[in-house]
Amino acid sequence: MTAIMPFASHEGRGWPRPVRALVLARAVNQLGAFAMSFLAVMLVHVYGASLITAGWVVALFGLATIPSRLAGGRMADRLGRRPTIVLGLLGCSVALLIIAVSPGVSGAAAGAALLGLAFEIYEPPSQALLAEMVAPEQRPQAFGLLGAALAAAGVGAGILAVLLGGVSLRLLFVADSVTCVAAAALILLWVHEPAAARPAASGGNPWRDGRLLVMLGIGTGFAFAWNLSVTALPLTVAARGLGPAETGWLLAVAAAVTIAGQRFLRGAASRPFFLMATGIAIVAAGFAVVAFADMMPLLCLGAATVALGQVFLLGPPYAVVAGLADDVSRARYLAAYGTCWGIAQTVGPLAWTHLLSIGVPVVWLTGAALCVLLTALVPFAGRAMNLAERRSAGQPQPAAG
């Protein structure tokens, strides 16, 4: 039963209370996070924007998340993890309400830009705090715990999407705003920072760390492929003649698979790059299924396969990055790595919506081809990480040949 119990550790022991409190707060926020999956659909079907315009607006959101995440990392290392998380969540709440009440495309675009500027502020402090609350060897499972809890909340989010999306797409963004405020309240009440997470004056520079740059490179590839399922899945469902309710069910199916897949993270600390390559190969298979899925059972199969692969693309990479930094600079390292999501969110919607305008199979098969390429490159990234680690430690390099 441990695979469907997010708050149980893989060793069968419960996680510390601060960890559970942090994860619970993030899960509450996730209950409304389905709204972003409907941003492009809302722009097209509520505001009357074209696919290309919708892609540009979503890309604007993605571009704004890059400075947002970097600011979150710097704020977390200087002001503290807890206040930074709360400020980010409250900023998201305001921006989501702007999108919900906007009378036209320009207002929604302004709300999307503001949301992007606040959207990633709480991520680096959340990730740094989680890494600092557990032993290093537990970090892959701890990040997996966060992913499982978010997926568990995603099941409820999918149901809410079915109920609210059938009434009004605007209600989805109102619900997301409410969950942001609720999550901020939980952080203020229950989450306290360990001594190691207190603000400090200095730390390592992630942009001068070759190991971090290698992880950023492969992470950007992962995130670009991941963005396909966020941007194109609701539009694909609509192209198949189905509605927001069906998209909600697909999100719920994907969330259930994510929870069940946590068992595969056992021992992840000793083989992170193998698991990353395995995960992206599974995502490629899922994309290929979605490319030709013209009915709900096949769409469910494709979404479930993609979700299973994505299980391996959260915990292991973040655990690796968290281990590269000390307590003083950990949030900045995680923020620097996390810019891969902003890059993908900026370029991805433009690329995927253009390809989608050509045809549904084209966009998904392109994503599958990208994943196959990434599967082949990940082992080389692992070797490059080992080489950079030796150089950082001043160890002699192995002879060529």
Side-chain angles (χ1 to χ4, degrees), residues 184-205:
L186 290 174
I187 294 291
L188 286 174
L189 289 172
W190 292 349
V191 176
H192 301 282
E193 301 180 33
R198 299 299 178 189
S202 63
N205 186 339

Side-chain angles (χ1 to χ4, degrees), residues 33-180:
F34 54 76
M36 284 308 300
S37 297
F38 292 92
L39 179 58
V41 174
M42 183 171 173
L43 289 166
V44 172
H45 294 286
V46 175
Y47 296 120
S50 67
L51 271 177
I52 304 303
T53 299
W56 277 105
V57 172
V58 177
L60 177 64
F61 161 81
L63 182 63
T65 65
I66 297 176
S68 170
R69 187 177 283 263
L70 293 174
R74 185 164 292 276
M75 290 167 62
D77 283 336
R78 292 183 179 275
L79 303 179
R81 312 321 193 199
R82 187 164 164 261
T84 304
I85 295 171
V86 172
L87 287 173
L89 288 169
L90 294 180
C92 287
S93 178
V94 172
L96 286 161
L97 286 179
I98 292 175
I99 296 174
V101 303
S102 175
V105 175
S106 59
L114 179 60
L115 180 62
L117 290 172
F119 196 76
E120 300 288 352
I121 287 177
Y122 63 81
E123 284 288 357
S126 297
Q127 294 157 358
L129 196 53
L130 184 63
E132 291 156 357
M133 287 176 173
V134 299
E137 64 272 13
Q138 289 184 301
R139 284 172 182 163
Q141 296 97 314
F143 283 107
L145 166 70
L146 178 61
L150 296 181
V155 175
I159 296 172
L160 281 174
V162 171
L163 297 176
L164 298 179
V167 177
S168 170
L169 290 175
R170 293 178 189 266
L171 286 178
L172 300 177
F173 292 86
V174 174
D176 197 357
S177 176
V178 171
T179 62
C180 287

Side-chain angles (χ1 to χ4, degrees), residues 139-335:
R139 284 172 182 163
Q141 296 97 314
F143 283 107
L145 166 70
L146 178 61
L150 296 181
V155 175
I159 296 172
L160 281 174
V162 171
L163 297 176
L164 298 179
V167 177
S168 170
L169 290 175
R170 293 178 189 266
L171 286 178
L172 300 177
F173 292 86
V174 174
D176 197 357
S177 176
V178 171
T179 62
C180 287
V181 174
L186 290 174
I187 294 291
L188 286 174
L189 289 172
W190 292 349
V191 176
H192 301 282
E193 301 180 33
R198 299 299 178 189
S202 63
N205 186 339
W207 302 108
R208 296 180 180 176
D209 192 328
R211 303 165 301 168
L212 186 280
L213 297 179
V214 170
M215 289 301 298
L216 178 60
I218 64 172
T220 300
F222 292 165
F224 189 65
W226 195 310
N227 181 261
L228 172 59
S229 60
V230 175
T231 299
L233 183 60
L235 294 170
T236 297
V237 171
R240 299 303 192 198
L242 304 172
E246 282 74 14
T247 301
W249 286 117
L250 291 177
L251 295 175
V253 168
V257 171
T258 301
I259 298 169
Q262 296 305 306
R263 66 172 63 230
F264 298 114
L265 289 179
R266 293 172 180 170
S270 62
R271 47 177 185 160
F273 290 93
F274 170 77
L275 291 180
M276 293 179 214
T278 300
I280 200 67
I282 296 172
V283 170
F287 284 173
V289 172
V290 176
F292 300 104
D294 56 359
M295 57 185 68
M296 271 299 288
L298 284 177
L299 285 170
C300 285
L301 175 62
T305 304
V306 171
L308 178 60
Q310 289 174 343
V311 167
F312 304 108
L313 303 179
L314 269 182
Y318 277 107
V320 170
V321 173
L324 299 179
D326 55 25
D327 292 336
V328 174
S329 58
R330 184 165 291 114
R332 273 171 284 172
Y333 265 72
L334 289 164

